[in-house]
Amino acid sequence: MSMDTTGEHGGPSRMSLDHQPPPPPLFTGTGQSDLVSTPEAKKSAADTIDHLEHGTKDSGTHADESTANIVKAFGPHDGHGWVTSGALKKAHHTWGEQVQALMNRLGYEKSALVGAKTRLHNTDFGIKHGIARPGSPLDLF
């Protein structure tokens, strides 16, 4: 269906209602290049997460010590101290909560990678037994 209308500047304009936009492209099934699907690749990813966990923990410990020294240095001495000390202590507490959330997330992801092999194997095993044909006496020969 087409319809002639008056355009923005008084001239003719044409609008067509019988044309639909092209559909979105279909998934071609080539897969994602960054998908980790082999047991070796999953173990490597889990090992990388393990390395990140240790590095994050070590860096956090170092930051805790350094921040405690700075808070103490800026803290009150003889009744006088810097406002920076309290603000830094509060910011460090918030940062610590964020690091803990990161550590929890890393642990969850590592656990998911390590457990994926077992879950997939158990699923495949269950499906195989669910569709297996009944045994026959001839199978024994």
Side-chain angles (χ1 to χ4, degrees):
M1 172 180 186
S2 295
M3 184 164 90
D4 289 329
T5 60
T6 304
E8 183 178 322
H9 301 288
S13 174
R14 187 161 177 90
M15 177 175 72
S16 176
L17 298 176
D18 58 353
H19 176 72
Q20 295 182 1
L26 297 175
F27 181 70
T28 61
T30 58
Q32 298 176 359
S33 62
D34 61 347
L35 181 64
V36 176
S37 60
T38 65
E40 295 81 17
K42 287 179 183 145
K43 182 173 181 344
S44 175
D47 290 345
T48 299
I49 291 174
D50 192 47
H51 177 73
L52 287 172
E53 283 179 319
H54 291 299
T56 301
K57 186 177 180 182
D58 291 345
S59 296
T61 300
H62 178 71
D64 286 344
E65 293 168 357
S66 298
T67 303
N69 291 335
I70 293 171
V71 167
K72 184 177 179 181
F74 283 133
H77 299 284
D78 299 328
H80 299 287
W82 292 57
V83 175
T84 305
S85 177
L88 185 57
K89 188 175 182 178
K90 184 177 178 181
H92 183 69
H93 176 76
T94 301
W95 177 80
E97 291 174 345
Q98 293 170 343
V99 169
Q100 186 59 50
L102 172 62
M103 294 295 289
N104 292 343
R105 176 71 187 267
L106 287 172
Y108 171 79
E109 295 295 336
K110 182 173 68 173
S111 174
L113 282 168
V114 171
K117 178 181 176 184
T118 303
R119 283 190 297 274
L120 291 173
H121 175 73
N122 290 343
T123 300
D124 289 346
F125 189 71
I127 289 172
K128 176 187 172 195
H129 286 298
I131 62 173
R133 62 180 175 82
S136 165
L138 297 176
D139 289 338
L140 300 175
F141 294 103

